[in-house]
Amino acid sequence: MSSIDLPSHSSTNLAPDADRIMLRRRIGFFTLVSATCLALFGWMTRLVGADGIDVFDALILAMYGGTLPWVVIGLWNAVIGVALIYLRRDWLQSVVQLQGLEDTSSPITTRTAIVMPVFNEDPERVFKHLRAVEASLGRSGLAEAFELFLLSDSNVPAIFEEEERRFEQWRLTSPHPERLHYRRRLENARQKVGNLESFCDSWGGAFDHMLVLDADSLMSGDAILRLVRLMQHNPRLGILQTLVVGLPAASAFARVFQFGMRHGMRTYTTGSAWWQGDSGPYWGHNAILRLAPFIQHCRLPRLPGEGPLGGEILSHDQVEAALMRAAGYEVRVLPIEGGSYEENPPTLPDFIKRDLRWCQGNIQYFRLISWKIWRPLGRLQLALAILMYLSPVMWMGFLLTGLLRMVAVTLFPETNFAFMEAVWERANSSEGMALFATMMTIVFAPKIFGVLDVMLSAAKRRRYGGGGRMMLGTVVELLFGVLLSPVIAVAQTVFVIGLMFGKRVQWNVQARDLRTVAWGRAVRGLWVQTLCGAVFAGALWAWAPGALPWATPLLAAWLLAVPFAVLTSDAGLGRWLRRIGLCAVPEELDPTVEVAEAMTPAPLSNLGPAAALAPTMTLHHTVPSRPDV
């Protein structure tokens, strides 16, 4: 990484006292996480080592220990988050530590480019969202400080021709067409990274900030203005990420998934922002970036080699955040809801496809984590991104090792593996059940504390349609999560193993519209999960029937994966859930103006009187690849 030069400026604008506070927070947080992990590991060692520890026990403990950090971090993030929100009056200032958090009226003195990179996306959705953003900024009276850029990498003629047609029509109806720009590259070199690099090279010098939107992103004018004012107040702030929540969804799968994410994300993100401070994450969209340091320090090199772990850096966002922090600028998350939205995959197969794309990108971080330029928290962010996908793999290894141990006991009854009965006896004791209950509580802690956050506030309960509807939706989402998580864990495990043999996924356009999953497609995509359920169920029935009650939720998730995918993609189920208001996000019950505009079909007719067009920004060029590291 010698090609990346670090600046000589100071690393932060925080006072020394604030630095000491952050150090104490991080020490305290890691003490809590470490103590909890050690206690749980010791507890499991006591159970597994009932009559000594053999090679299988050692493997089981190693896999179990590997799963602990991710879930325990989630636990303490949620605990700290809900405690701050309800026990500290100035919790937002304490967490974010930025000047100007209450500022809603100061003048906008900087220039911001709002950019949306797209690749073969639905033009109707793209322009509905961009028009909603423009209209919302127009209502603020401060739209002159912003320009909107649609950065197209589309290569399907029907799609890019429709983009051009809709863009021309947008300019005809816009009060300020000179602020609207469209550019399409002939080749999508370096994908989204190359698309944004091309914009920065051509237009970055004309703007102070860049606000990045995905094709399914939507932001209100008020939310955008708040980000810009915070950037103006805090000149050392390099990236400010918003809390992104799901838009109302027609799909039953997306609806239930984002309901659970919605009430759990605020407390989790608040807790993580409290100890991460100025070294927070960047999720690649719905965030504002300071352009000068981004251009200077965050240009990504190409990793040496080819294959799934070499070549272009796919999950660019966390790397850009770590580079920004290494350059001495702050990266922070604003953990409040309001005005920042996205859409979620509408079906289980589409969700898995997106998740495996992220998995491949995050596993690439093994090639990056040893770079010497990283600050400690920047390196930790990359490590956590890897751990997010290794933790389910180790959980599957934990289960598989237990299964192999049972087989060994059966095949070699005279060996030291034969003390399985003592292990199961202790596991079925009150102590074993207590550990099981403890682990389930920890796993679901972000959701539990998210529900607690809502239920403790009358105003929040009303936003979800009342406490009764909130709790009923929570039960549905809990069952949904129990069925979903083991299915995703198998998919991630198979994929990570495949990466070792050169398997990869194509980063194509993401499915955003509901398509019913046919039985054939579900079987082709989920047969491994079904087979896994059958193998584990048969093995437990034959060799450890006493474990079947414990394993029922897990086995049900795998054996029902195919019908689960088909049912949750059913449009009728989605309409029924919407009709009764179950698992509704607040914007469905009380939509904002921006959400209502984005969710309303946008006809192409009725353009009104033609307006004189300002010169159109339509650039056709390719961006050369950067040399290898």
Side-chain angles (χ1 to χ4, degrees):
M1 279 301 294
S2 59
S3 61
I4 297 180
D5 297 322
L6 300 186
S8 59
H9 49 249
S10 62
S11 64
T12 180
N13 63 351
L14 295 179
D17 285 347
D19 286 333
R20 286 192 290 270
I21 289 172
M22 287 306 306
L23 179 61
R24 288 198 296 268
R25 288 181 183 181
R26 290 165 182 170
I27 292 174
F29 184 81
F30 285 110
T31 299
L32 289 172
V33 170
S34 300
T36 305
C37 287
L38 288 173
L40 291 170
F41 187 80
W43 198 352
M44 178 62 81
T45 302
R46 171 182 165 82
L47 290 174
V48 171
D51 290 328
I53 294 179
D54 59 31
V55 63
F56 284 109
D57 294 329
L59 286 173
I60 287 172
L61 289 172
M63 294 295 176
Y64 173 75
T67 67
L68 289 176
W70 181 254
V71 295
V72 171
I73 287 172
L75 163 71
W76 286 112
N77 280 344
V79 170
I80 291 169
V82 77
L84 287 168
I85 291 170
Y86 284 95
L87 299 180
R88 184 155 186 167
R89 186 181 298 273
D90 62 340
W91 69 269
L92 184 59
Q93 181 63 57
S94 172
V95 168
V96 182
Q97 295 183 317
L98 290 176
Q99 300 296 320
L101 283 171
E102 304 301 323
D103 181 10
T104 60
S105 60
S106 66
I108 303 298
T109 59
T110 52
R111 301 285 298 164
T112 300
I114 300 174
V115 303
M116 181 184 284
V118 296
F119 176 63
N120 292 334
E121 298 282 355
D122 174 19
E124 180 181 357
R125 170 182 283 101
V126 166
F127 283 95
K128 279 196 304 183
H129 287 204
L130 286 175
R131 282 174 175 264
V133 171
E134 182 198 30
S136 187
L137 285 171
R139 288 190 290 270
S140 73
L142 297 171
E144 67 276 2
F146 301 88
E147 296 188 29
L148 283 81
F149 294 78
L150 179 60
L151 308 177
S152 175
D153 268 356
S154 300
N155 55 15
V156 176
I159 293 179
F160 66 69
E161 289 169 4
E162 183 70 4
E163 289 173 355
E164 293 169 358
R165 184 163 70 97
R166 286 180 179 265
F167 178 71
E168 293 294 333
Q169 293 172 342
W170 182 17
R171 290 168 63 83
L172 284 169
T173 57
S174 171
H176 296 285
E178 72 280 0
R179 298 176 190 160
L180 311 179
H181 309 280
Y182 173 84
R183 184 271 280 131
R184 185 176 73 85
R185 298 193 300 168
L186 292 179
E187 296 181 19
N188 63 327
R190 292 169 60 79
Q191 301 171 330
K192 181 180 177 180
V193 169
N195 200 351
L196 291 176
E197 282 181 356
S198 173
F199 167 80
C200 290
D201 291 341
S202 299
W203 288 81
F207 297 93
D208 302 284
H209 311 127
M210 175 174 68
L211 190 143
V212 183
L213 300 177
D214 269 356
D216 60 359
S217 294
L218 176 68
M219 292 190 69
S220 70
D222 287 343
I224 294 171
L225 290 171
R226 182 171 198 172
L227 295 182
V228 173
R229 289 190 173 106
L230 287 170
M231 296 295 276
Q232 291 181 171
H233 280 289
N234 301 272
R236 303 307 308 159
L237 184 57
I239 300 176
L240 182 57
Q241 173 70 63
T242 64
L243 187 63
V244 191
V245 299
L247 284 166
S251 155
F253 180 90
R255 181 187 186 88
V256 180
F257 173 79
Q258 64 193 32
F259 174 81
M261 284 288 292
R262 178 64 176 267
H263 56 251
M265 183 180 290
R266 182 169 179 242
T267 54
Y268 181 98
T269 307
T270 298
S272 64
W274 176 82
W275 64 268
Q276 291 175 2
D278 56 7
S279 299
Y282 167 45
W283 302 323
H285 59 95
N286 293 49
I288 192 167
L289 299 84
R290 193 174 301 276
L291 264 173
F294 182 79
I295 293 170
Q296 182 179 358
H297 303 292
C298 298
R299 192 178 291 265
L300 301 183
R302 179 183 172 89
L303 295 175
E306 298 299 331
L309 300 185
E312 302 297 344
I313 297 174
L314 300 177
S315 292
H316 59 94
D317 37 23
Q318 290 285 39
V319 182
E320 290 163 344
L323 288 172
M324 183 71 81
R325 190 68 195 104
Y329 288 86
E330 300 177 13
V331 179
R332 293 187 180 271
V333 176
L334 192 62
I336 56 174
E337 295 179 358
S340 181
Y341 311 99
E342 67 176 348
E343 294 180 276
N344 287 292
T347 68
L348 176 57
D350 294 320
F351 181 89
I352 291 175
K353 182 179 178 181
R354 184 187 72 168
D355 189 69
L356 297 186
R357 287 167 47 191
W358 292 350
C359 177
Q360 179 177 336
N362 285 21
I363 297 298
Q364 276 187 314
Y365 294 167
F366 274 117
R367 296 277 187 92
L368 310 175
I369 200 166
S370 62
W371 288 357
K372 295 180 180 180
I373 68 166
W374 305 129
R375 294 181 178 229
L377 264 290
R379 197 184 307 274
L380 178 64
Q381 291 286 10
L382 297 178
L384 290 177
I386 296 172
L387 187 62
M388 179 169 64
Y389 286 100
L390 288 189
S391 184
V393 174
M394 287 185 281
W395 180 69
M396 287 298 301
F398 170 79
L399 297 176
L400 182 60
T401 304
L403 182 66
L404 292 176
R405 192 183 199 285
M406 288 188 296
V407 174
V409 169
T410 303
L411 296 179
F412 308 102
E414 303 302 323
T415 67
N416 290 332
F417 303 137
F419 50 80
M420 191 74 182
E421 288 187 8
V423 175
W424 277 117
E425 182 178 342
R426 179 163 289 185
N428 283 300
S429 67
S430 59
E431 184 180 5
M433 288 187 285
L435 176 58
F436 178 78
T438 299
M439 286 305 303
M440 290 299 97
T441 302
I442 291 173
V443 167
F444 288 103
K447 297 180 184 294
I448 293 170
F449 282 97
V451 173
L452 181 64
D453 176 27
V454 174
M455 296 303 292
L456 287 174
S457 167
K460 292 177 185 176
R461 292 197 301 270
R462 285 194 297 272
R463 295 188 68 210
Y464 284 88
R469 186 173 291 175
M470 176 68 191
M471 293 307 299
L472 182 58
T474 298
V475 172
V476 171
E477 194 276 328
L478 179 63
L479 177 61
F480 175 90
V482 168
L483 294 175
L484 176 65
S485 296
V487 173
I488 301 302
V490 171
Q492 292 170 341
T493 301
V494 171
F495 185 71
V496 169
I497 294 172
L499 286 176
M500 301 177 187
F501 298 95
K503 182 179 179 180
R504 69 183 79 182
V505 292
Q506 296 295 319
W507 283 52
N508 296 321
V509 62
Q510 176 181 308
R512 307 188 194 278
D513 294 309
L514 177 61
R515 298 173 297 159
T516 300
V517 176
W519 285 94
R521 182 190 175 200
V523 171
R524 288 191 300 272
L526 299 165
W527 68 269
V528 175
Q529 284 84 348
T530 305
L531 178 62
C532 190
V535 169
F536 270 80
L540 291 177
W541 181 79
W543 297 315
L548 282 171
W550 296 72
T552 297
L554 177 68
L555 299 176
W558 287 336
L559 293 172
L560 297 176
V562 170
F564 176 70
V566 173
L567 178 63
T568 54
S569 74
D570 182 71
L573 177 60
R575 288 192 297 268
W576 180 74
L577 291 173
R578 186 179 183 90
R579 185 167 63 250
I580 65 174
L582 190 60
C583 296
V585 294
E587 287 76 16
E588 179 181 315
L589 302 175
D590 185 20
T592 64
V593 174
E594 294 80 15
V595 169
E597 290 174 345
M599 303 302 290
T600 302
L604 289 177
S605 56
N606 302 322
L607 294 178
L613 288 178
T616 303
M617 175 189 168
T618 308
L619 307 179
H620 297 275
H621 64 283
T622 59
V623 178
S625 298
R626 292 177 58 80
D628 291 353
V629 179

